[in-house]
Amino acid sequence: MGGRDTDIVLLDENGIRCDGRKVNETRKVTIKAGVLKNANGSAYIEFGDNKILVGVYGPRDVHPKHMSDTDTGILRCRYHMAPFSVGERKNPAPSRREVEISKVIKEALEPAVMLKEFPRTAVDVFMEVLQADGGTRCAALTGASVALADAGIPMRDLVAGCAAGKAADAVILDVNNEEDQAGQADLPIGYMPNLKKITLLQLDGILTPEEYKQCIEIGIDGCNQVYEIQKKALQDKFFANGEKQ
Ligand code: ADP
């Protein structure tokens, strides 16, 4: 971040990015729901070269009991990067970054999950990043909402995640690791496409007001594309014979 010197050409003279994409193109996203037998709900997501496994447990009793709420269920989220998920071995102990990402994902999911229906209980969401390549919080959020739906947790909407940003002075969709490191801004968005509400919005870097507006616009467009893939993953799991809702 911050426009460091680099040999990578982030955008060539034809407007093509370092991984071959156009500025307004997302990476390839694939999602599979229901991949873990021992979790109540689960999903595996590939978002470009990001690979993330999500397991959901609950609603279940809260331990320790004093953490429970008589009025509502609670959502607990843990985002964790495996030691082999990045080039240099990552210390498996939770870092400040993982604590922050766990918190923002929890807050991004809460508006979608109907927790009031399960007072005194907890829903646990475990996100394991197996391979990271920029944009893991958006990918983990996307996979987590599919895993929650797979667990049968009542939800108002799915939450889809996609980042926008700026690299080589251009506004770009779905920032990859090189663009995150050598680019100028990264703006992850979590969005509920049916309710048209943003539930996660962060900004690392500097944008003009006009660029900021463009980022929100193309970021929401990216979330809408991701949403279609989330729905397809759930349809493939629950309507395996091709029947569609
Ligand atoms: P996000 O993954 O949501 O974009 P960051 O902007 O904090 O979150 O991280 C950007 C990318 O930097 C990650 O996706 C990952 O590829 C890389 N990264 C994060 N933490 C580490 C680490 N400890 N070691 C090496 N690379 C890392």
Side-chain angles (χ1 to χ4, degrees):
M1 187 57 52
R4 266 178 261 148
D5 282 344
T6 172
D7 291 338
I8 300 173
V9 177
L10 291 178
L11 199 65
D12 73 13
E13 62 279 10
N14 301 313
I16 300 298
R17 292 154 70 177
C18 57
D19 58 7
R21 284 183 289 153
K22 300 191 194 113
V23 285
N24 58 355
E25 209 178 319
T26 68
R27 290 172 283 187
K28 184 167 185 263
V29 180
T30 53
I31 308 173
K32 189 165 167 46
V35 291
L36 300 173
K37 179 173 131 252
N38 296 332
N40 296 120
S42 57
Y44 171 67
I45 178 164
E46 291 189 1
F47 208 121
D49 284 335
N50 292 304
K51 298 186 179 184
I52 302 172
L53 195 54
V54 186
V56 166
Y57 297 82
R60 60 182 180 180
D61 287 348
V62 181
H63 297 292
K65 267 211 154 46
H66 69 84
M67 281 180 69
S68 71
D69 189 326
T70 48
D71 292 332
T72 180
I74 56 170
L75 190 65
R76 298 188 291 204
C77 293
R78 190 193 74 163
Y79 162 103
H80 180 251
M81 283 175 105
F84 50 79
S85 63
V86 287
E88 283 266 302
R89 177 185 176 275
K90 188 211 151 271
N91 185 331
S95 61
R96 278 178 57 178
R97 178 180 167 276
E98 286 165 302
V99 172
E100 176 224 317
I101 295 180
S102 301
K103 178 179 183 287
V104 296
I105 290 178
K106 170 181 140 72
E107 290 170 359
L109 288 169
E110 270 171 345
V113 184
M114 298 165 86
L115 289 164
K116 289 262 181 202
E117 298 205 1
F118 306 102
R120 298 173 201 272
T121 68
V123 175
D124 289 302
V125 181
F126 296 98
M127 293 153 280
E128 283 294 321
V129 179
L130 308 177
Q131 187 170 285
D133 190 41
T136 56
R137 77 195 63 205
C138 289
L141 172 62
T142 300
S145 70
V146 171
L148 282 162
D150 180 48
I153 310 284
M155 292 166 83
R156 298 178 181 89
D157 201 350
L158 290 170
V159 186
C162 191
K166 182 179 170 187
D169 292 328
V171 167
I172 53 167
L173 181 59
D174 185 18
V175 180
N176 70 25
N177 194 37
E178 284 79 23
E179 293 165 340
D180 186 57
Q181 302 303 318
Q184 292 146 301
D186 179 25
L187 184 125
I189 298 176
Y191 183 65
M192 295 194 286
N194 264 316
L195 300 174
K196 297 192 177 3
K197 289 209 162 112
I198 289 177
T199 64
L200 181 151
L201 186 64
Q202 295 185 283
L203 173 60
D204 185 5
I206 296 172
L207 294 170
T208 65
E210 188 49 39
E211 286 164 348
Y212 174 77
K213 265 168 63 186
Q214 285 174 19
C215 279
I216 298 279
E217 223 163 84
I218 64 163
I220 287 177
D221 187 49
C223 290
N224 283 325
Q225 292 177 42
V226 168
Y227 179 55
E228 293 304 316
I229 299 158
Q230 290 177 299
K231 281 194 295 187
K232 175 148 190 331
L234 290 164
Q235 281 165 350
D236 287 348
K237 160 94 191 285
F238 291 105
F239 305 102
N241 55 7
E243 189 192 334
K244 295 267 147 72
Q245 232 178 10

